[in-house]
Amino acid sequence: MLIAQFSLAEQAPTSPQYHDKVAIVTGSSYGLGHELALLGAEKGMKLVLADIRPDQSETLAEQIRAKGGQAIVVEVDLADAKQRPDVIEAAMDEFGRIDYLFNNAGYSYLATLEQMDSVEAHRLFEVNYWAYADLAQRVIPIMRKQGGGTIVNVSSILGMRAAPANLGHYAATKHALHGLFQSVAQEVQGDNISVFLAAPGGMKTKISQHSTGPMADPENDRAANWEDPAIAAKDIFENMQGEAVIFNPGYVGRQ
């Protein structure tokens, strides 16, 4: 499937706006992150693919390089604050600049408040919130020095409305992203740095298989009938041309 998708991408002309731009994509092995990376490669971006499970990212990077593109892979556990600088350093060492940061990596910890394990809940926030803040903080000075850049934070529709039972911890991380990055967008607008919050609805991802917590059920793929993440990826690139800080890619935004 990957090969077929990239064959189609190879036939499309690169986009002058994105050609040779350096983009970091976290959570690039599956789901939306994979589709963002695939679309970025189609548009001529140089890619830094970051994931705790790097095998699929390595496969994609090899395909990109075989077609004349440029991509590297960084294996990283974003829950570990000491590892997060490695992503930025790898991008700068390889390409010397960072034009786009796609903060996309995340997972769900499924538990009621009564069931909450504070260690697990804190780890969730490290990946879904603090890693986003950390990487953005590190790229802002780089982008400012370059004359501009773009930071896209993948949130969720659950960051904009009440979540179902057992998803409160996950939703809390997404609400936190909205609180922080709406302010950040104002803080850096004078530096030609665009900041976005992309809040899609449900997509076909590995969210069920990668969920943790007492209410997690990896055998029940709750995303099986959800939307193709390629649709949301395309919408994200389109919405980056606009001025709205928050947007809903995919079927939610198209209603």
Side-chain angles (χ1 to χ4, degrees):
M1 187 64 172
L2 283 174
I3 295 174
Q5 286 178 309
F6 201 78
S7 294
L8 292 173
E10 180 193 13
Q11 297 172 17
T14 59
S15 170
Q17 180 180 357
Y18 299 109
H19 187 67
D20 283 341
K21 299 297 184 182
V22 178
I24 294 172
V25 182
T26 67
S28 54
S29 286
Y30 301 99
L32 180 58
H34 183 273
E35 297 299 333
L36 287 169
L38 192 66
L39 190 53
E42 174 186 334
K43 294 178 179 296
M45 285 179 154
K46 300 175 181 178
L47 295 167
V48 180
L49 309 179
D51 205 289
I52 193 172
R53 302 175 181 87
D55 289 353
Q56 292 298 318
S57 291
E58 291 282 6
T59 299
L60 178 57
E62 290 171 5
Q63 292 174 1
I64 292 169
R65 292 192 292 264
K67 304 300 181 182
Q70 297 184 56
I72 62 171
V73 178
V74 182
E75 181 176 358
V76 59
D77 181 358
L78 292 173
D80 184 353
K82 294 181 180 178
Q83 294 186 36
R84 295 196 287 250
D86 295 346
V87 179
I88 307 302
E89 291 170 8
M92 294 302 290
D93 288 347
E94 183 72 18
F95 299 120
R97 61 184 294 120
I98 301 169
D99 301 288
Y100 290 82
L101 169 62
F102 291 95
N103 271 327
N104 166 76
Y107 71 102
S108 60
Y109 168 63
L110 302 180
T112 68
L113 181 59
E114 290 179 286
Q115 293 170 329
M116 181 185 70
D117 179 296
S118 61
V119 173
E120 289 297 320
H122 277 275
R123 187 185 190 282
L124 179 76
F125 262 84
E126 286 293 340
V127 176
N128 287 19
Y129 173 77
W130 284 114
Y132 285 46
D134 190 350
L135 295 180
Q137 183 187 47
R138 294 174 186 278
V139 300
I140 285 171
I142 295 169
M143 291 178 173
R144 181 183 293 120
K145 186 176 180 180
Q146 293 170 178
T150 300
I151 300 170
V152 179
N153 303 286
V154 176
S155 175
S156 166
I157 192 64
L158 296 184
M160 303 174 69
R161 61 178 63 167
N166 311 322
L167 278 166
H169 302 91
Y170 174 81
T173 64
K174 301 304 185 179
H175 278 277
L177 291 177
H178 283 246
L180 175 65
F181 282 103
Q182 287 182 86
S183 292
V184 175
Q186 299 174 65
E187 294 163 4
V188 299
Q189 61 184 353
D191 299 306
N192 195 33
I193 299 173
S194 298
V195 176
F196 297 104
L197 286 150
M203 296 175 291
K204 292 179 182 178
T205 68
K206 295 288 186 179
I207 193 165
S208 294
Q209 294 90 329
H210 296 164
S211 292
T212 64
M215 303 302 292
D217 182 6
E219 300 302 319
N220 178 23
D221 186 0
R222 65 184 190 274
N225 297 317
W226 292 354
E227 187 175 38
D228 185 343
I231 297 172
K234 181 175 182 292
D235 285 353
I236 286 172
F237 271 87
E238 290 179 357
N239 278 276
M240 286 194 300
Q241 310 310 310
E243 297 182 358
V245 173
I246 302 173
F247 58 85
N248 301 112
Y251 72 90
V252 175
R254 296 181 182 198
Q255 290 178 349

